[in-house]
């Protein structure tokens, strides 16, 4: 049975700890009056995240974007960096803002991560790194990427903004490549309001990042790097400590939503749903659906509009492709990115968050089934 929803259903809703828990967590900040600059909450959160993510080192940042931008700077990369156009614009901005040239590689049809079969053709003598994206929390082909990177002596920085808590063959997703960036933005599976981190096993990189996120300051009298300001403050870190206590439960609730969508949508012709890879412990960050208009009665944009008339706000993640977005269009050469284009024109991410009522999921699925 359909209800009329007067409440807007957005694609996501931020996870928050119980109010009292956060108030208790920030009380000591009033006693110490230490608000930022690597305080006790910052230190504790770095420790706990090393543990949770099963990675040797973690460096916290004010957001995921600055984490990635400064990580690229810290590695002193030059020339060209290969990434995919099927991502959030931040990935490419982080490359371009370091005066590097992004080279766009296509994605594969299976999980929408970088197509490793097309990757090697794009490597030139100017290539210094690969920035693959674990899009929707799907794990890139980390083994092949490692092989290719070793062969051509390239750095690998994963954009793991979507992949918090994901494990691959029992390992934390941040264990692969030279470094991984996580985003703790309010809309992600795990948040510190705004925040981000670099995970790595490279102690020298961690030292460099510590300095770069604090203006390049080494001591009171020594500033030897052109750094930025990208420190996570104590209130954000306290939010992170609180949310970390609940993130496993939040992911379990997301799994229920995922299963409900699968149950209700899998028999509709012309819909391609997200499949969980058997080597992966997923985090159910998004619920992308590809609408194939040759087999389903509506195209993606029509579904988007239809849901909107029912007060349900899905998102076209990721459309347009980054190489077709206003600030990058025609600016860089790229290989053939036809799969990315096809997916980008057909994908819709449906509402997905821990507190999403299963009745609402049923309602969304019913609207899609009817197609009107
Ligand atoms: C969210 C996101 C970022 C940026 O993270 P912020 O914490 O918002 O700065 C980068 N890449 C991808 C793929 C993202 O989804």
């Amino acid at each position: 049975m359909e209800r009329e929803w007067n409440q807007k259903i957005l694609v996501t809703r931020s996870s928050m700890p119980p109010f009292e828990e956060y108030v208790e967590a920030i009380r000591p900040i009033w006693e110490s009056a230490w608000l930022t600059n690597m305080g006790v909450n910052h230190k504790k959160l770095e420790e706990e995240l090393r543990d949770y993510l099963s990675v040797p080192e973690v460096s916290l940042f004010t957001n995921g974007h600055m984490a990635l931008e400064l990580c690229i700077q810290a590695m002193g990369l030059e020339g060209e960096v290969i990434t995919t156009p099927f991502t959030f614009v931040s990935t490419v901005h982080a490359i371009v803002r370091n005066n590097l040239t992004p080279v766009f590689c296509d994605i594969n049809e299976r999980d929408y991560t970088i197509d490793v079969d097309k990757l090697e053709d794009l490597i030139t003598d100017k290539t210094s790194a690969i920035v693959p994206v674990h899009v929707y929390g799907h794990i890139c082909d980390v083994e092949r990427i490692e092989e290719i990177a070793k062969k051509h002596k390239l750095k690998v920085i994963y954009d793991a903004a979507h992949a918090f808590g994901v494990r691959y063959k029992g390992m934390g997703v941040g264990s692969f490549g030279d470094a991984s960036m996580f985003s703790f933005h309010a809309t992600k599976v795990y948040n510190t309001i705004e925040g981000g981190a670099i995970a790595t096993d490279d102690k020298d990189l961690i030292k460099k990042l510590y300095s770069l996120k604090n203006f390049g300051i080494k001591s009171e009298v020594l500033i030897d790097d052109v750094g930025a300001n990208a420190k996570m403050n104590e209130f954000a870190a306290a939010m992170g400590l609180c949310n970390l206590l609940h993130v496993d439960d939040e992911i379990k609730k997301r799994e229920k939503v995922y299963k409900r969508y699968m149950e209700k949508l899998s028999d509709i012709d012309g819909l391609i749903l997200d499949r969980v890879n058997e080597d992966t412990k997923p985090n159910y960050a998004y619920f992308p659906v590809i609408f194939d208009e040759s087999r389903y009665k509506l195209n993606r944009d029509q579904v988007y509009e239809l849901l909107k008339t029912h007060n349900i706000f899905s998102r076209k993640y990721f459309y347009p492709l980054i190489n077709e977005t206003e600030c990058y269009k025609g600016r860089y050469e790229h290989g053939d990115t036809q799969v990315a284009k096809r997916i980008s024109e057909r994908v819709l991410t449906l509402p997905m968050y821990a507190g999403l009522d299963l009745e609402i999921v049923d309602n969304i699925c019913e609207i899609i089934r009817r197609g009107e």
Side-chain angles (χ1 to χ4, degrees), residues 319-338:
Y319 175 86
L321 288 182
I322 304 304
N323 50 3
E324 291 179 356
T325 221
E326 210 49 41
C327 63
Y328 293 123
K329 204 173 177 169
R331 218 176 126 188
Y332 300 105
E333 285 179 44
H334 53 81
D336 154 33
T337 56
Q338 57 171 308

Side-chain angles (χ1 to χ4, degrees), residues 9-215:
I9 302 299
L10 305 181
V11 76
T12 190
R13 190 178 160 89
S14 299
S15 293
M16 295 176 85
F19 179 66
E20 289 71 23
E21 219 172 283
Y22 185 62
V23 170
E24 278 314 304
I26 60 174
R27 195 181 299 282
I29 301 178
W30 262 261
E31 286 149 20
S32 67
W34 188 300
L35 308 188
T36 185
N37 285 42
M38 294 56 142
V40 289
N41 289 297
H42 185 281
K43 186 160 180 287
K44 184 142 190 272
L45 185 58
E46 281 190 344
E47 282 164 20
E48 296 207 356
L49 286 175
R50 282 203 297 263
D51 212 45
Y52 188 84
L53 297 170
S54 307
V55 292
E57 302 289 342
V58 166
S59 184
L60 293 175
F61 289 84
T62 188
N63 57 54
H65 176 82
M66 286 309 292
L68 183 59
E69 190 171 316
L70 293 178
C71 185
I72 292 172
Q73 184 184 347
M75 287 184 181
L77 302 178
E78 286 178 1
E80 298 173 355
V81 174
I82 302 175
T83 187
T84 86
F86 191 68
T87 182
F88 183 50
V89 72
S90 164
T91 319
V92 179
H93 281 351
I95 294 168
V96 173
R97 288 168 57 83
N98 273 291
N99 294 317
L100 298 161
T101 305
V103 173
F104 296 106
C105 181
D106 207 0
I107 58 174
N108 72 62
E109 198 97 44
R110 183 174 27 87
D111 61 15
Y112 324 127
T113 64
I114 196 162
D115 186 341
V116 287
D117 293 325
K118 293 182 182 169
L119 178 56
E120 237 176 328
D121 282 348
L122 297 171
I123 297 174
T124 70
D125 52 8
K126 294 201 196 99
T127 310
S128 61
I130 312 169
V131 180
V133 183
H134 297 308
V135 66
Y136 305 135
H138 299 169
I139 303 307
C140 299
D141 188 339
V142 289
E143 286 109 352
R144 279 288 299 284
I145 290 170
E146 188 180 331
E147 243 173 65
I148 294 169
K150 271 219 174 100
K151 182 169 156 200
H152 298 273
K153 298 194 170 51
L154 305 175
K155 294 280 188 193
V156 179
I157 310 172
Y158 283 103
D159 180 333
H162 295 179
F164 186 85
V166 174
R167 303 184 78 86
Y168 177 70
K169 295 185 177 167
M171 287 162 77
V173 67
S175 321
F176 303 101
D178 295 281
S180 297
M181 175 276 278
F182 292 94
S183 164
F184 308 147
H185 183 257
T187 57
K188 304 282 157 76
V189 168
Y190 165 77
N191 82 77
T192 62
I193 310 171
E194 290 258 13
I198 293 294
T200 182
D201 59 0
D202 182 345
K203 284 206 159 55
D204 292 333
L205 177 63
I206 288 288
K207 269 194 210 139
K208 186 108 179 155
L209 290 172
Y210 191 93
S211 158
L212 284 178
K213 70 181 161 191
N214 191 27
F215 306 101

Side-chain angles (χ1 to χ4, degrees), residues 140-365:
C140 299
D141 188 339
V142 289
E143 286 109 352
R144 279 288 299 284
I145 290 170
E146 188 180 331
E147 243 173 65
I148 294 169
K150 271 219 174 100
K151 182 169 156 200
H152 298 273
K153 298 194 170 51
L154 305 175
K155 294 280 188 193
V156 179
I157 310 172
Y158 283 103
D159 180 333
H162 295 179
F164 186 85
V166 174
R167 303 184 78 86
Y168 177 70
K169 295 185 177 167
M171 287 162 77
V173 67
S175 321
F176 303 101
D178 295 281
S180 297
M181 175 276 278
F182 292 94
S183 164
F184 308 147
H185 183 257
T187 57
K188 304 282 157 76
V189 168
Y190 165 77
N191 82 77
T192 62
I193 310 171
E194 290 258 13
I198 293 294
T200 182
D201 59 0
D202 182 345
K203 284 206 159 55
D204 292 333
L205 177 63
I206 288 288
K207 269 194 210 139
K208 186 108 179 155
L209 290 172
Y210 191 93
S211 158
L212 284 178
K213 70 181 161 191
N214 191 27
F215 306 101
I217 295 173
K218 288 279 161 32
S219 76
E220 266 181 74
V221 291
L222 179 64
I223 299 144
D224 64 354
D225 247 327
V226 185
N229 180 6
K231 305 181 296 287
M232 179 181 282
N233 71 62
E234 286 294 283
F235 290 83
M239 186 71 159
L241 288 166
C242 291
N243 273 336
L244 199 54
L245 298 172
H246 304 285
V247 67
D248 286 337
D249 283 342
E250 294 287 286
I251 292 173
K252 275 190 201 120
K253 287 185 195 157
R254 283 173 176 272
E255 181 178 9
K256 290 210 172 87
V257 174
Y258 167 85
K259 288 195 164 145
R260 191 69 153 239
Y261 271 130
M262 291 304 282
E263 184 193 320
K264 302 271 168 166
L265 294 178
S266 53
D267 67 333
I268 304 178
D269 203 33
L271 268 53
I272 300 164
L273 307 181
D274 215 27
R275 285 145 300 189
V276 171
N277 177 326
E278 56 200 37
D279 289 324
T280 304
K281 180 181 167 289
N283 66 358
Y284 307 101
Y286 297 89
F287 197 88
V289 180
I290 313 293
F291 291 91
D292 174 359
E293 76 273 19
S294 68
R295 286 159 54 224
Y296 177 71
K297 62 169 100 169
L298 304 177
N299 66 32
R300 186 273 307 271
D301 290 346
Q302 290 167 329
V303 180
Y304 173 85
E305 293 300 333
L306 171 66
L307 290 173
K308 225 163 84 173
T309 64
H310 293 267
N311 245 343
I312 293 154
F313 295 82
S314 58
R315 292 296 293 265
K316 301 173 190 179
Y317 286 145
F318 289 97
Y319 175 86
L321 288 182
I322 304 304
N323 50 3
E324 291 179 356
T325 221
E326 210 49 41
C327 63
Y328 293 123
K329 204 173 177 169
R331 218 176 126 188
Y332 300 105
E333 285 179 44
H334 53 81
D336 154 33
T337 56
Q338 57 171 308
V339 176
K341 189 169 170 64
R342 196 161 64 242
I343 299 300
S344 161
E345 285 169 353
R346 287 172 178 74
V347 70
L348 208 55
T349 56
L350 301 181
M352 166 55 97
Y353 49 91
L356 182 59
D357 197 330
L358 294 181
E359 262 184 67
I360 295 174
V361 176
D362 291 348
N363 185 238
I364 294 169
C365 297

